[in-house]
Amino acid sequence: MSATTTAPALGAGRRTIAVMVLIPTVVALALWAFAWPAARTAPRDLPIGVAGPATAVTAVEERLSHHEGAFEVHRYEDATAARAAIADRDVYGAVVVTPGGTELLTASAASPVVAGLLREAVTAQAPEGAKVTVTDVVAAPAGDPRGAVLASSLLPLALAGAAAGVVTTLLGLRGARAATALVGASVLAGLVGTALADSWLGALTGDWWAEAGVLTLTVLAIGSTFAGLAALIGKPGFGLGALLMILIGNPFSGVSSAPELLPTAVGSLGQLLPPGAGGSALRSVSFFDGAAAGGPLLVLSVWAVAGLTATLLGARGRRTESATAPLPVPAPVG
């Protein structure tokens, strides 16, 4: 066998082995990213309020402390202050002790999972025979009482952003044209998403244009990251973008439960990535009049600006390389 036939055979063999190794690695990574946080779901420093007479509040705090590390307890003067804290998204709920008994304030719009968890924990820890009244201060919308629509919307948003970045790159759009395409696609995706989730399904109930703005910024943050990475490092940027936004960003977002129910590092990291920040911002503008939306919107803006900047700089760098590349030397004649 000649060297010319051996080289292609060796190359094909290496590619075959690479595929055999790559696919199980991706499967293992996906299972780790999606299944591990779900298997470790539990409250970790979950913010909850207590209000009422000092002696009664102390007793409630002692009972909650039996769940070691589960709750971060905040004291409030009365039920009104506790309700305000819930509306401002400072806490997920509050236990209010009154002469007539114990009242649990929840916010299923913030997380139906957390609302149910608080109901179970407070009821179980109440003194024997004591009645616990549950009031849903900020209820989830009738069109999505379990938050399933909101949680299910996250992956399509991530895929839409990824598609925008990949298609823009593969179509050969560069620089300002690429940025314009990314912004335009994101705006249309945000409008369509809001029309479906708000106007049709009734899963979102806030200001329509604010919701569209959050969806637009989320898609843009993801799409510009894909395009920016591809502009800087080539097609491997698609793989890195998929790792950050889909394999890690989606399951680490905490949208289906709450960031405080995920392992601590996972929940914190998820809120620094566009899927998690987008989910938190969307809850805020949809159900809480924008309360606590500033942080998530800042995260989305940083990713979007960084991605668009990388897209523009990557195109400029390629033009510079093309301009400085030496001209081919013609072969001598004769």
Side-chain angles (χ1 to χ4, degrees):
M1 182 180 294
S2 65
T4 56
T5 57
T6 302
L10 289 175
R14 293 193 186 97
R15 291 193 296 271
T16 301
I17 294 174
V19 171
M20 294 172 62
V21 172
L22 178 63
I23 298 304
T25 301
V26 172
V27 170
L29 179 61
L31 287 175
W32 166 78
F34 282 84
W36 173 62
R40 297 292 185 269
T41 297
R44 296 170 177 85
D45 292 326
L46 187 74
I48 181 176
V50 293
T55 303
V57 165
T58 300
V60 171
E61 289 179 335
E62 290 178 356
R63 289 195 293 270
L64 291 175
S65 67
H66 295 163
H67 303 274
E68 187 174 355
F71 301 107
E72 178 185 282
V73 180
H74 300 256
R75 284 198 180 198
Y76 297 100
E77 184 177 353
D78 51 28
T80 301
R83 286 173 177 269
I86 293 172
D88 290 338
R89 301 205 71 186
D90 293 331
V91 293
Y92 280 92
V95 181
V96 180
V97 182
T98 66
T102 300
E103 181 181 17
L104 171 63
L105 306 177
T106 63
S108 58
S111 171
V113 175
V114 170
L117 183 151
L118 291 178
R119 188 181 301 109
E120 293 177 4
V122 173
T123 302
Q125 294 296 324
E128 186 176 353
K131 180 182 178 181
V132 178
T133 303
V134 180
T135 303
D136 200 349
V137 176
V138 186
D144 189 23
R146 294 180 177 82
V149 175
L150 183 62
S152 300
S153 301
L154 187 60
L155 182 57
L157 283 177
L159 293 177
V166 171
V167 171
T168 296
T169 302
L170 295 182
L171 289 179
L173 299 177
R174 299 288 183 266
R177 290 182 182 273
T180 300
L182 289 168
V183 172
S186 299
V187 169
L188 292 176
L191 294 175
V192 170
T194 308
L196 293 174
D198 186 312
S199 303
W200 180 41
L201 297 175
L204 305 178
T205 58
D207 181 82
W208 199 96
W209 291 105
E211 293 165 354
V214 170
L215 293 180
T216 295
L217 190 55
T218 301
V219 174
L220 180 61
I222 296 172
S224 63
T225 298
F226 271 81
L229 288 172
L232 293 177
I233 63 176
K235 290 183 179 180
F238 294 154
L240 182 56
L243 176 66
L244 288 172
M245 302 300 161
I246 298 175
L247 282 180
I248 293 179
N250 190 63
F252 285 18
S253 67
V255 173
S256 60
S257 54
E260 293 84 358
L261 296 187
L262 301 177
T264 303
V266 169
S268 299
L269 175 59
Q271 293 306 296
L272 295 177
L273 295 173
S280 295
L282 190 59
R283 280 192 189 280
S284 290
V285 302
S286 297
F287 312 126
F288 295 89
D289 294 327
L297 290 176
L298 177 61
V299 171
L300 292 173
S301 299
V302 169
W303 279 96
V305 171
L308 291 174
T309 301
T311 301
L312 296 172
L313 292 179
R316 182 178 300 178
R318 292 185 180 183
R319 285 198 300 268
T320 302
E321 291 177 4
S322 300
T324 57
L327 296 175
V329 178
V333 180

